[in-house]
Amino acid sequence: MIGSLLYLTASRPDILFSVCLCARFQACPKESHLHAVKCIFKYLAYTPTLGLWYPRKSSFDLHTYSDADFGGYKVDRKSTSGTCQFLGNMLISWFSKKQNSVALSTTEPEYIAAGSCCAQVMWMKQQLLDYGFNFEKVPIRCDNTSAICLGKNPVHHSRTKHIDIRYHFIKDHIEKGDIELVFVPTEEQVVDIFTKPLDEQTFSKFRLELGLCEIE
């Protein structure tokens, strides 16, 4: 059941967080986990015509969102990273993943998620360059001001030395003009749909902003 749902997340990003959360219990599932998976199938049964819409006249600017849910996984208190990339209004890439280590502050998981997003952006920039599209200062929208300041000037050594150095490459790409970290209010952070459970109204709002709509 999980395998089928993971396959479906390629076209239904709205179920990505729920499916990935259930997948963590595949090794030793309980009845409650089976019930949760059945709830996902029930949601899909009631929304069979939902799909990603790619309008012909959409703009072609590359922009991204990055976020993390600090200690949101109750089992081991690890954070969940989520990112998504858009070309204009068209969603072209997304992921949700539990981080490898327990974060000691709200800044750390946000910064790690932004680093993962930066790596994805650099790969996409190279692919688009082959088609003649060159993008500079691709915005990565983040709702944590401390993570943004850290990316621009990582001088708080006592607070950041425990963060794996491989994530600090984001500062290099900011200086080169490849990307820029931009603040976005939490209520407009669409990638929250990939990192945490949401109420129905917020979920429906972000689902629409991802480009999911009724396709007859």
Side-chain angles (χ1 to χ4, degrees):
M1 293 168 75
I2 291 292
S4 301
L5 290 172
L6 284 171
Y7 178 79
L8 189 58
T9 58
S11 59
R12 288 293 298 268
D14 53 324
I15 64 171
L16 180 63
F17 172 73
S18 301
V19 174
C20 289
L21 185 60
C22 291
R24 298 171 189 174
F25 300 96
Q26 284 186 99
C28 187
K30 298 180 180 179
E31 187 174 347
S32 59
H33 304 134
L34 178 61
H35 176 71
V37 173
K38 288 182 177 180
C39 286
I40 299 175
F41 277 104
K42 186 179 291 186
Y43 166 73
L44 292 171
Y46 279 100
T47 57
T49 58
L50 269 184
L52 286 171
W53 177 251
Y54 295 94
R56 180 184 302 176
K57 296 182 179 180
S58 173
S59 60
F60 211 72
D61 57 306
L62 180 61
H63 60 102
T64 70
Y65 291 85
S66 169
D67 192 30
D69 182 28
F70 176 56
Y73 187 47
K74 304 299 183 183
V75 176
D76 56 14
R77 282 301 180 181
K78 291 182 179 178
S79 305
T80 301
S81 297
T83 71
C84 60
Q85 290 76 35
F86 289 84
L87 271 178
N89 298 324
M90 302 176 290
L91 181 67
I92 55 174
S93 177
W94 58 92
F95 88 88
S96 174
K97 182 181 179 182
K98 186 175 73 169
Q99 295 184 1
N100 295 327
S101 58
V102 178
L104 302 179
S105 68
T106 56
T107 302
E108 183 180 347
E110 296 273 2
Y111 190 54
I112 291 174
S116 300
C117 186
C118 178
Q120 179 71 5
V121 168
M122 296 311 299
W123 178 81
M124 295 176 73
K125 276 168 61 74
Q126 185 59 46
Q127 296 297 311
L128 290 166
L129 193 60
D130 293 340
Y131 293 95
F133 295 98
N134 187 25
F135 295 96
E136 300 294 337
K137 289 191 174 182
V138 176
I140 296 179
R141 293 180 168 84
C142 175
D143 62 1
N144 188 286
T145 53
S146 297
I148 294 174
C149 292
L150 181 59
K152 295 178 179 178
N153 186 25
V155 295
H156 306 292
H157 302 296
S158 62
R159 300 180 185 179
T160 61
K161 64 183 180 181
H162 60 284
I163 301 177
D164 196 313
I165 195 169
R166 69 191 180 98
Y167 293 108
H168 283 279
F169 80 99
I170 191 172
K171 179 177 179 291
D172 293 332
H173 289 295
I174 290 175
E175 292 176 348
K176 293 176 183 177
D178 293 325
I179 61 147
E180 61 177 342
L181 293 176
V182 179
F183 177 75
V184 62
T186 301
E187 57 270 16
E188 298 176 14
Q189 180 58 283
V190 63
V191 83
D192 272 355
I193 199 172
F194 299 137
T195 62
K196 66 193 73 171
L198 301 171
D199 60 82
E200 184 179 355
Q201 182 178 359
T202 306
F203 179 82
S204 299
K205 172 190 172 185
F206 288 157
R207 183 178 66 184
L208 184 61
E209 291 183 12
L210 287 177
L212 279 160
C213 58
E214 298 285 343
I215 300 177
E216 299 296 340

